[in-house]
Amino acid sequence: MFKSIVVPVDIADLKLARLAIDSAVKLADTAGATLTLVHVVPIMPLMMLDTVPVSFEGEVAEKAKGSLADLARSVLLPGGQVQSVVRIGGIYHEVLAIAEEQRADLVVVGSHQPSVATYLLGCNASAIVRHSGCSVLVIREEKPHAEETTDDVPSHFASVDDAMRAAWEADKLH
């Protein structure tokens, strides 16, 4: 089924990264695939180059290598099946380049729930989906679900719907 799986990881968002990694580990374990964790340090915008040292991106990349290696060691697959790669560059460009180099047949990417910002500006997950030469599995973070229970309904409301309507009218839900 799958022989090589690439998982982009944002070290600053380990909760979302863990969701993607856990899904990829299950697939890799079942198929005997290799797993490559990838972190990309974005290129510093030109307007900031005057305010940071020339070595800044390299220092961030070195720090990321340690963090990503620690994360790779926590993955429950045999050692030879897991590797980590840190690059400096455009995020989705580098992820796709690594997927091509690894001859990956799957990229597992974590993604936040879509928002207006991602529709207007795009996001790395959608760019990976659009431009990947292999299959892409997008793992979404779970949406919080509002539980409807009668325990939260004050006794003067006949139902949850009545309580919701009253809250809406009182401008508490919008």
Side-chain angles (χ1 to χ4, degrees), residues 8 12-13 18 29 52 56 69 74 77 79 98 113 115 131 145 147 153-154 157 159 166 172:
D13 192 353
R18 253 303 161 204
D29 189 37
V52 296
F56 180 76
S74 75
L77 287 173
I98 290 168
Q113 292 298 328
S115 68
H131 301 288
H145 296 285
E147 296 289 329
V153 179
F157 293 113
S159 69
K172 293 180 182 174

Side-chain angles (χ1 to χ4, degrees), residues 130-168:
R130 279 194 312 274
H131 301 288
S132 179
C134 65
S135 297
V136 179
L137 174 61
V138 178
I139 304 296
R140 295 252 187 236
E141 62 185 345
E142 288 186 32
K143 273 191 208 179
H145 296 285
E147 296 289 329
E148 287 192 2
T149 63
T150 55
D151 298 341
D152 298 334
V153 179
S155 58
H156 61 277
F157 293 113
S159 69
V160 171
D161 289 334
D162 289 344
M164 301 255 315
R165 208 172 297 111
W168 183 266

